[in-house]
Amino acid sequence: EPKPYFLYVGNAYPHKNLERLIEAFGSFKVSKFQSFKLILVGPDDYFYKKLKDKVQKTGLVDQVIFHGPATKEELADLYKNALALVFPSLMEGFGLPGVEAMVNGCPVLCSDIPVFHEIYGEAAVYFNPDDKNDIAKKMEEICYLVSEHDNKLEELREKGLKKVKKYSCQKLARETLAVYKSI
């Protein structure tokens, strides 16, 4: 995949807010980060086709890449090489792509919504999902951290790796067994 790039993983249902992400990326592209790409990973369904039309109209065809579905191996590689996962949802039940990103050492930029604060805590960078300028600003901040080899980016990765230990299968199994034993 082309580098450097931001990544989105998931479906393109309206509440995922991908149209605003495209708008934010379009304004971000006007900045000095012209070579940066946005890769969208998800099923080629009605909603992604609609999003492709928007990308066509905005003139970002060469910068926004529709990957389609990905295998586990491809997804892990995409996370490991991304500048950050961008997760602009207006609402979520949990937010598994952010946890997957953190497992793979990928920083997470996400909506400032309660569920993400609960799941990711201080291990993510938050933006207002209704404000394309704020989304673009946070993407730009990540780019500056990368270009300046800033330790804040490594700290963010470390916080993510520490945070996801909370969601490990082994920990869940131990806690479930403890509940059964207590009954």
Side-chain angles (χ1 to χ4, degrees):
E1 298 296 340
K3 295 176 187 167
Y5 63 89
F6 287 94
L7 180 66
Y8 168 81
V9 176
N11 61 52
Y13 297 150
H15 74 277
K16 297 294 187 171
N17 202 24
L18 296 184
E19 287 194 20
R20 191 160 291 119
L21 174 58
I22 299 297
E23 292 168 4
F25 186 70
S27 65
F28 164 80
K29 293 295 294 171
V30 174
S31 73
K32 71 177 201 171
F33 302 106
Q34 292 295 314
S35 64
F36 288 54
K37 307 285 185 195
L38 173 62
I39 298 178
L40 305 172
V41 176
D44 193 22
D45 61 9
Y46 168 79
F47 294 104
Y48 262 107
K49 287 177 183 160
K50 193 174 169 186
L51 199 58
K52 285 179 184 179
D53 290 340
K54 179 170 182 79
V55 168
Q56 188 83 29
K57 290 174 185 168
T58 58
L60 294 170
V61 175
D62 293 332
Q63 291 82 33
V64 178
I65 298 166
F66 290 88
H67 184 283
T71 65
K72 288 181 183 178
E73 293 79 17
E74 289 173 324
L75 199 53
D77 190 50
L78 286 164
Y79 282 127
K80 287 176 184 171
N81 292 298
L83 292 168
L85 173 76
V86 185
F87 206 177
S89 293
L90 298 172
M91 66 175 126
E92 282 293 332
F94 181 80
L96 188 58
V99 173
E100 291 174 342
M102 289 176 183
V103 164
N104 287 286
C106 179
V108 175
L109 300 176
C110 62
S111 298
D112 190 4
I113 57 176
V115 68
F116 287 164
H117 280 279
E118 183 179 341
I119 303 300
Y120 310 139
E122 292 181 7
V125 174
Y126 298 93
F127 54 74
N128 177 348
D130 295 316
D131 183 353
K132 73 176 185 175
N133 295 323
D134 193 36
I135 298 169
K137 179 182 171 200
K138 295 304 189 302
M139 293 170 78
E140 203 167 292
E141 286 174 10
I142 289 292
C143 294
Y144 282 117
L145 292 177
V146 169
S147 67
E148 295 172 5
H149 305 288
D150 195 300
N151 288 339
K152 291 177 190 172
L153 195 58
E154 191 55 39
E155 289 172 17
L156 190 60
R157 285 188 178 103
E158 288 173 17
K159 285 179 182 179
L161 288 169
K162 184 177 177 182
K163 188 70 166 171
V164 294
K165 289 179 182 177
K166 177 180 177 181
Y167 301 109
S168 76
C169 293
Q170 292 84 5
K171 183 176 183 209
L172 179 61
R174 282 192 304 274
E175 290 175 356
T176 302
L177 183 61
V179 169
Y180 285 133
K181 285 181 177 179
S182 71
I183 297 173

